Amino acid sequence: MTQRRETSRLAGDGDALFVPLLLPPDTPAISDTRWFWVGRGGIALSQGPPPGEPPVHFVGMQGTVACWAADLEPADPAPDAADIEFVDLRRLWGQVPDADWILAGRAVQLVEWARTHRYCGRCGAETKPAAGERAMTCADCELLAFPRLAPAVITVVHRGDEVLLARGVQFALPMYSCIAGFVEPGETLEQAVRREIREEVGVEVGEPRYVASQPWPFPHSLMIGFTAEWVAGEIEIDPREIADAQWFHRDALPSIPPPISIARRLIDGWAAQA
């Protein structure tokens, strides 16, 4: 099959229901294939498999279209640059439908998981795909390693017509966002919300209210969004994590994250509640 970029055509299938599967169904149920080539600093969409025999992972079915991910390492044959374009996953957002972008993120996470679990974390022996489930199993001690997923809470803290936004020390641009952090072992999500807000900006909030969640493949997180009302305390930042934090009026918001992020959804949702 001639390998050529098919982003526009593939995007046309984006409304079909996606079902994650470990193995493809019987051939009569498959009308077409789509491939996510992961490597060279980005991801490319194609109808056909890449050259050579790279590791591949079945992602699932989008309607009757079978979706695959291929791990292209530097030693693999380079595809024709005129036919295939590798795009950073962040840049891909907005170029394809949201459903396709989420699929691409899933492909990237599966490839990265397989790359980083080639050897057992307990005894160091080589691993192989486990039978019947999405896991790698150790050939010697039989330890199972499932795809890594790091849950993180992200919260928009509000006080009347004001919202508390912070600029992380790692932000390359002067952008303000919601308070976020990873869930610690043994914590509930609500406990993580309160702890992160207290640690990063020094204030106390009431009962966190769940809003939405978002898979975040940078590299393997699940962002769980909340809203919470301020109840006490003045802003006192943790300088190791936060460069600045302020209360902003809903009519005078600073530079905030783009729509790709659940942070923007949380901020926009609060601002719309006039």
Side-chain angles (χ1 to χ4, degrees):
M1 178 183 294
T2 302
Q3 288 133 16
R4 53 194 177 87
R5 196 174 184 219
E6 292 283 351
T7 303
S8 60
R9 179 182 181 279
L10 293 174
D13 297 326
D15 292 334
L17 177 65
F18 172 74
V19 179
L21 294 172
L22 181 62
L23 298 171
D26 295 336
T27 303
I30 299 175
S31 65
D32 203 351
T33 61
R34 63 188 314 191
W35 285 77
F36 298 87
W37 300 8
V38 181
R40 291 167 178 76
I43 186 168
L45 278 63
S46 174
Q47 277 187 278
E53 298 183 358
V56 299
H57 309 275
F58 186 65
V59 179
M61 294 292 296
Q62 190 173 35
T64 59
V65 178
C67 303
W68 297 82
D71 180 3
L72 295 186
E73 296 186 340
D76 293 327
D80 187 342
D83 295 331
I84 294 293
E85 177 185 357
F86 284 85
V87 179
D88 177 81
L89 187 58
R90 292 180 189 269
R91 286 182 50 214
L92 185 65
W93 188 85
Q95 298 184 30
V96 297
D98 289 351
D100 287 358
W101 190 82
I102 292 174
L103 261 176
R106 181 180 176 87
V108 168
Q109 290 182 80
L110 289 177
V111 167
E112 179 63 19
W113 162 67
R115 285 177 180 173
T116 56
H117 287 80
R118 294 175 179 173
Y119 299 93
C120 177
R122 181 161 63 190
C123 72
E126 290 190 7
T127 61
K128 61 182 180 180
E133 54 188 334
R134 183 82 71 184
M136 302 295 285
T137 183
C138 176
D140 287 352
C141 73
E142 299 184 346
L143 177 70
L144 285 174
F146 294 89
R148 181 180 175 186
L149 190 63
V153 292
I154 181 167
T155 309
V156 58
V157 179
H158 55 92
R159 182 181 66 182
D161 288 333
E162 295 179 309
V163 63
L164 197 164
L165 301 177
R167 180 164 62 87
V169 296
Q170 80 280 8
F171 287 7
L173 299 174
M175 180 181 66
Y176 287 76
S177 187
C178 302
I179 307 301
F182 291 104
V183 180
E184 295 285 348
E187 276 188 323
T188 66
L189 298 178
E190 292 80 6
Q191 288 170 340
V193 166
R194 290 192 174 97
R195 175 185 54 78
E196 283 292 337
I197 293 170
R198 185 184 308 115
E199 290 178 352
E200 295 195 356
V201 293
V203 305
E204 300 293 334
V205 297
E207 187 66 26
R209 182 172 62 84
Y210 172 77
V211 177
S213 63
Q214 178 187 35
W216 192 245
F218 302 107
H220 42 64
S221 297
L222 174 64
M223 304 300 295
I224 306 160
F226 290 87
T227 179
E229 187 173 8
W230 170 91
V231 295
E234 299 297 328
I235 295 175
E236 185 176 346
I237 66 171
D238 177 357
R240 297 169 300 178
E241 299 282 344
I242 304 297
D244 184 39
Q246 300 181 40
W247 290 102
F248 295 93
H249 192 274
R250 68 172 76 244
D251 296 328
L253 294 178
S255 174
I256 57 178
I260 185 177
S261 170
I262 191 174
R264 179 62 173 268
R265 178 177 174 181
L266 293 172
I267 297 169
D268 287 349
W270 168 81
Q273 296 175 1

